Amino acid sequence: MVLQAIKYTRGSLEILDQLQLPHREVYEEIQNTKDAWDAIKQMRVRGAPAIAIVAALSLAVELQNVSKRQSVLNANGHSTAAGDVVLFTGQKLDYLVTSRPTAVNLADAVRKLKRLVTDAHTRTGSTSESVVEAYIRAAERMLIDDVQDNENIGKHGADWILENTEWGRKGKISVLTHCNTGSLATAGYGTALGVIRALHSRSFLHLAYCCETRPYNQGARLTAYELVHDHIPGTLITDSMAAALLRTEGQASKIAAVVVGADRVAANGDTANKIGTYALAILARHHGVKFLVAAPRTTVDMNTLSGEEIIIEERPHVEVAEITGPRVQGSKDDRTVDLDHVETVRVAAPGIDIWNPAFDVTPAGLIDGIVTEVGVVEKGADGRFHLSEIFDEDIGRVRGDGRRKHTPSPSEGP
């Protein structure tokens, strides 16, 4: 059974509460944008693509249900005009962006949806109903497109690793990943975990190593859960074990690549992702292991020139100082999980100050390739990523093997 983190039918939206994983599968209903804002802020839903989709669909559900009740009225008690719907959706979308400012997919989705609503309003004969319908259809399309994009990312990333790494050219390989970038972080299949899924489906995967990803443990709770759920061979390590893993197990396990997701990719390739990603990139470079970022084009922000401009969200101190989980009972050799007793315990010394950035920025110089749904972007002869190419209308310029290399224009010289 395919893991489904987002359940949607018109007028109804449910999310799998990721705070209760891996011990319980609990779906929560999202009835409006306030519910979605809370779910995103509290990290009951997370992952840049999933955040954007849930946000967009929450407003679609709110619009659909309000439309059914015919309660969108102006001050005079008359039915809302198309212009009022434009104002209403704009305000709601602006509100949703504040739930997770670092995730560019959300801001990108908001910009596109605002433009779509405005265009729908300017059409001849537009009504409030036609504008609402245009918005809902666009939000629903996001859900469908994301799965297809992720499958393409998986294919391109797997192909690149098999063709561009020593171990990949010889047979089965292992991959190290960070945080959670699978079905739980997207509409389905995943980005970096999608690459791992693609390798596994083609019998090229030996092991998927995942870091626990402190302080929220998305690797230990979520990625490990997906690997077990989908019967993908995996091994969990703590974040501090990554260097030792690459040094002592890199050859034996044939670790060919570190593959991570992204919350925002700047125009120059600098990448903001879950805290700890930067450290993995440094380790990969030191040990001669390829480092790939896997993300849809919606994660690339061409308006952000470099990582210096990316705002890094800081999370509450308690996320580092405390940890929550079900009680474990029994002897050392016979332990059981008591799901009826969930407890929070403090692990940090009282009184210590805590710094808790949610993300870090990996410089483009440490990244070997950026895997998108239209191909893998590699650095050009000048040693830089030229990400504008993946937004060209002529996507046919992607080579047959899914790789994109920058060809300098005459003005750039040889």
Side-chain angles (χ1 to χ4, degrees):
M1 181 179 177
V2 176
L3 187 61
Q4 191 175 8
I6 302 171
K7 292 183 177 181
Y8 172 81
T9 57
R10 183 164 290 204
S12 174
L13 173 64
E14 291 182 325
I15 61 165
L16 183 59
D17 184 355
Q18 298 187 26
L19 294 182
Q20 301 199 47
L21 291 174
H23 306 293
R24 293 183 187 271
E25 287 189 17
V26 178
Y27 285 89
E28 293 193 358
E29 188 176 8
I30 302 294
Q31 297 182 334
N32 50 49
T33 51
K34 175 63 166 59
D35 289 349
W37 193 97
D38 289 340
I40 294 167
K41 194 67 176 178
Q42 295 165 11
M43 295 184 70
R44 284 181 281 129
V45 61
R46 24 105 8 241
I51 285 170
I53 292 165
V54 168
L57 290 176
S58 73
L59 180 51
V61 168
E62 186 169 344
L63 287 169
Q64 174 71 15
N65 293 335
V66 165
S67 178
K68 280 184 178 179
R69 294 194 305 268
Q70 297 182 337
S71 60
V72 182
L73 303 174
N74 62 25
N76 297 319
H78 298 107
S79 296
T80 302
D84 296 322
V85 175
V86 174
L87 179 62
F88 179 81
T89 56
Q91 291 172 339
K92 293 290 185 178
L93 290 169
D94 287 340
Y95 166 67
L96 286 163
V97 167
T98 64
S99 64
R100 198 78 178 184
T102 306
V104 70
N105 302 59
L106 177 54
D108 180 70
V110 164
R111 283 193 297 269
K112 290 176 179 176
L113 290 168
K114 278 185 171 182
R115 186 163 60 245
L116 177 138
V117 167
T118 299
D119 291 345
H121 174 228
T122 58
R123 293 193 190 110
T124 303
S126 69
T127 64
S128 61
E129 290 79 10
S130 67
V131 175
V132 166
E133 179 65 19
Y135 176 90
I136 293 174
R137 285 181 178 273
E140 292 172 342
R141 189 75 234 173
M142 287 175 60
L143 183 66
I144 297 169
D145 289 347
D146 188 63
V147 176
Q148 182 62 58
D149 287 346
N150 293 337
E151 290 176 351
N152 288 334
I153 287 171
K155 177 186 181 302
H156 293 314
D159 288 345
W160 193 94
I161 293 171
L162 295 175
E163 295 170 6
N164 292 276
T165 66
E166 179 183 354
W167 293 124
R169 289 187 288 267
K170 292 180 178 179
K172 281 195 171 186
I173 61 169
S174 295
V175 174
L176 172 62
T177 191
H178 191 61
C179 197
N180 174 257
T181 57
S183 295
L184 296 172
T186 63
Y189 201 75
T191 53
L193 198 52
V195 175
I196 290 171
R197 277 196 172 90
L199 288 167
H200 177 62
S201 69
R202 292 156 62 177
S203 300
F204 280 111
L205 183 71
H206 172 58
L207 271 178
Y209 288 97
C210 59
C211 296
E212 63 175 345
T213 321
R214 284 279 291 148
Y216 234 69
N217 295 310
Q218 293 98 324
R221 293 189 301 107
L222 307 179
T223 296
Y225 175 79
E226 289 202 47
L227 293 175
V228 172
H229 182 279
D230 292 350
H231 306 289
I232 298 173
T235 298
L236 175 67
I237 64 170
T238 67
D239 298 346
S240 56
M241 294 175 183
L245 174 73
L246 294 179
R247 178 169 181 170
T248 63
E249 298 295 322
Q251 296 288 316
S253 292
K254 300 178 181 179
I255 300 175
V258 176
V259 187
V260 301
D263 283 81
R264 184 181 297 252
V265 179
N268 71 339
D270 291 349
T271 297
N273 192 48
K274 186 56 56 187
I275 192 73
T277 303
Y278 180 25
L280 288 178
I282 293 172
L283 293 175
R285 180 57 56 91
H286 178 75
H287 291 91
V289 175
K290 297 296 185 181
F291 187 90
L292 295 177
V293 171
R297 288 179 294 170
T298 52
T299 307
V300 179
D301 183 3
M302 297 303 295
N303 294 318
T304 298
L305 299 182
S306 74
E308 295 294 326
E309 300 178 15
I310 297 177
I311 299 171
I312 300 299
E313 174 189 1
E314 291 198 25
R315 301 283 301 174
H317 293 180
V318 293
E319 293 179 359
V320 175
E322 300 174 357
I323 192 164
T324 300
R327 182 189 300 170
V328 178
Q329 300 180 141
S331 64
K332 180 179 179 182
D333 298 323
D334 184 20
R335 301 173 71 77
T336 59
V337 177
D338 183 358
L339 297 178
D340 293 326
H341 292 87
V342 176
E343 299 175 349
T344 298
V345 298
R346 186 174 179 90
V347 295
I352 188 67
D353 194 18
I354 293 172
W355 181 54
N356 186 22
F359 309 95
D360 56 29
V361 176
T362 299
L366 294 175
I367 300 170
D368 293 296
I370 298 174
V371 187
T372 75
E373 69 271 28
V374 297
V376 181
V377 182
E378 299 174 348
K379 297 187 182 93
D382 58 359
R384 298 177 181 179
F385 287 112
H386 296 269
L387 292 169
S388 60
E389 291 186 352
I390 61 175
F391 297 99
D392 290 343
E393 291 185 11
D394 183 15
I395 296 300
R397 289 200 299 153
V398 179
R399 292 171 18 176
D401 58 8
R403 294 167 61 189
R404 299 180 67 93
K405 283 191 175 180
H406 175 66
T407 302
S409 66
S411 62
E412 292 179 90

